[in-house]
């Protein structure tokens, strides 16, 4: 880092503390210095708090993101071919939700339509689920792919879901620090964190699923829209065609929340069934991805009914060492929650369900903790469906019996049964170009 060594951390912290713009070269120096250990944890903590309080303008955020990408490998798939023809690459990113298993059917649908999807994914932390934790519920599934294996799999199967690993390593360090310094909820820091990892994937196009509601990171639509616009702008600034959808996360997606139980639901969708909301979002996101990747004439919904998406999914699982012939794990202990009156199922709060699933052992409270692959819950009645008194509304699964009580307590008050069905909420709220 010698050409940049003229900066000093306290001066840069003071620049941001006093509400000024960080110089471009100073941003490069800070990110590289923090990744390599030259900039100390306490210095970066102070800077993050200054950014949290003062913000960063668009140009600063673009530079900050570029520096994060430069902290690791940026993949390049421009020479990817199948049958001698170039392959378009495209991915989607969700800002995180409850019951959000969409990546599983989605990558297979888009691959069946002729694009290649290199999907670097993460693990759950706190109340949100992680795609890697879900996939590891499949016996033998390996999320660590070398670049050579990834390229081979994309050229053959067309889809891979793998751990971000060497992509934007600055983000892994910064995210962990933000988590313990109350600096997570900063728009430029969230936007640069998400986009550094996704832009490092090197895809031609990217679709963002920005969640809004109680189970999302952004509770309000205006905040979600602002985040979506910032991320779309970062994509454009780095030459990647990017668009965003704002989608509802006030209720869980589908009828399952957990790890293995969500894989089972994704398999139902791939077999042409599954809950309507999971199918709707999968098909809509696939259409957006294919349009952005300029792949014409494909019919995402048909790949679910004709089995071609299922073929891609099973091929992807096999390529990554997974064995779908081994039954998915189910928690050894279960508890049901029943309706104490008849009527119609009302709203089901995504955060209450997420916390219940987390208490059951489906999520972790500290990075590195083991999750229970069989833990989670099934939602038997969706909002608006008729309910009879005494009927089972939820089934909770865990390997640890003492987790059942706290999980039921989290769920208590997170749903209601009423005399009339609630007004339906649109799943797809708006598209942000
Ligand atoms: N997801 C990320 O990857 N980073 C954030 O800052 C928030 C959500």
């Amino acid at each position: 880092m010698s050409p940049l060594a003229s900066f000093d951390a306290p001066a840069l912290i003071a620049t941001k503390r006093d509400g000024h713009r960080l110089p471009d070269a100073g941003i490069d120096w800070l990110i590289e210095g923090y990744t390599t250990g030259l900039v100390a944890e306490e210095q970066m903590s102070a800077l993050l708090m200054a950014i949290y309080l003062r913000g960063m303008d668009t140009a600063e955020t673009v530079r900050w993101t570029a520096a994060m990408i430069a902290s690791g490998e940026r993949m390049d798939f421009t020479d990817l071919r199948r049958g001698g023809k170039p392959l378009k690459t495209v991915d989607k990113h969700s800002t995180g939700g409850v019951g959000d298993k969409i990546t599983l059917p989605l990558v297979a649908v888009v691959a069946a339509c002729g694009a290649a999807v290199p999907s670097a994914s993460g693990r759950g932390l706190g109340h949100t689920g992680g795609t890697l934790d879900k996939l590891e519920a499949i016996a033998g599934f390996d999320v660590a792919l070398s670049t050579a294996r990834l390229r081979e799999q994309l050229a053959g199967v067309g889809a891979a879901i793998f751990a971000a690993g060497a992509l934007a390593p600055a983000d892994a360090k910064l995210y962990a620090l933000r988590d313990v310094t109350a600096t997570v909820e900063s728009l430029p820091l969230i936007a640069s964190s998400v986009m550094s990892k996704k832009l490092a994937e090197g895809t031609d196009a990217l679709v963002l699923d920005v969640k809004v509601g109680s189970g999302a990171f952004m509770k309000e639509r205006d905040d979600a829209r602002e985040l979506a616009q910032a991320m779309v702008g970062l994509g454009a600034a780095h030459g990647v065609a990017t668009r965003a959808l704002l989608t509802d996360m006030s209720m869980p997606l589908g009828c399952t929340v957990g790890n293995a139980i969500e894989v089972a639901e994704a398999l139902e969708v791939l077999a042409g069934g599954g809950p309507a909301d999971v199918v709707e979002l999968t098909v809509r996101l696939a259409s957006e991805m294919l349009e952005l990747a300029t792949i014409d004439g494909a019919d995402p919904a048909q790949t679910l009914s004709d089995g071609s998406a299922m073929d891609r999914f099973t091929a992807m699982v096999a390529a990554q060492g997974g064995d779908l012939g081994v039954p998915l794990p189910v928690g050894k202990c279960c508890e049901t929650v029943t309706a104490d009156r008849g009527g119609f199922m009302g709203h089901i709060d995504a955060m209450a369900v997420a916390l219940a699933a987390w208490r059951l052992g489906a999520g972790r409270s500290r990075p590195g903790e083991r999750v229970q692959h069989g833990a989670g819950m099934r939602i038997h009645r969706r909002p608006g469906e008729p309910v009879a008194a005494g009927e089972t509304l939820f089934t909770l699964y865990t390997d640890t019996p003492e987790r059942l009580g706290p999980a039921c307590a989290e769920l208590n008050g997170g749903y209601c049964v009423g005399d009339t069905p609630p007004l339906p909420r649109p799943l797809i709220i708006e598209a942000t170009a």
Side-chain angles (χ1 to χ4, degrees), residues 404-415:
L404 288 168
C408 288
E410 295 288 2
L411 205 50
N412 198 9
Y415 67 94

Side-chain angles (χ1 to χ4, degrees), residues 244-258:
L245 294 182
L246 261 53
T247 69
D248 182 60
M249 189 31 72
S250 60
M251 287 188 297
L253 265 172
C255 301
T256 59
V257 179

Side-chain angles (χ1 to χ4, degrees), residues 31-101:
I31 296 289
E32 188 180 337
Y34 180 59
T35 312
T36 55
L38 183 73
V39 172
E41 297 289 334
E42 54 272 27
Q43 292 174 319
M44 188 50 89
S45 305
L47 180 70
L48 289 175
M49 186 55 80
I51 292 172
Y52 179 92
L53 296 170
R54 295 292 195 170
M56 286 199 287
D57 67 22
T58 303
E60 273 177 300
T61 312
V62 168
R63 188 68 177 217
W64 184 273
T65 307
M68 302 237 290
I69 296 169
S71 71
E73 181 190 353
R74 185 168 186 181
M75 296 193 286
D76 180 0
F77 296 116
T78 46
D79 60 345
L80 211 59
R81 299 272 183 285
R82 185 181 296 148
K85 291 202 184 127
L87 263 176
K88 300 266 175 52
T89 51
V90 58
D91 191 19
K92 80 100 201 190
H93 177 81
S94 153
T95 55
V98 183
D100 186 358
K101 68 279 297 171

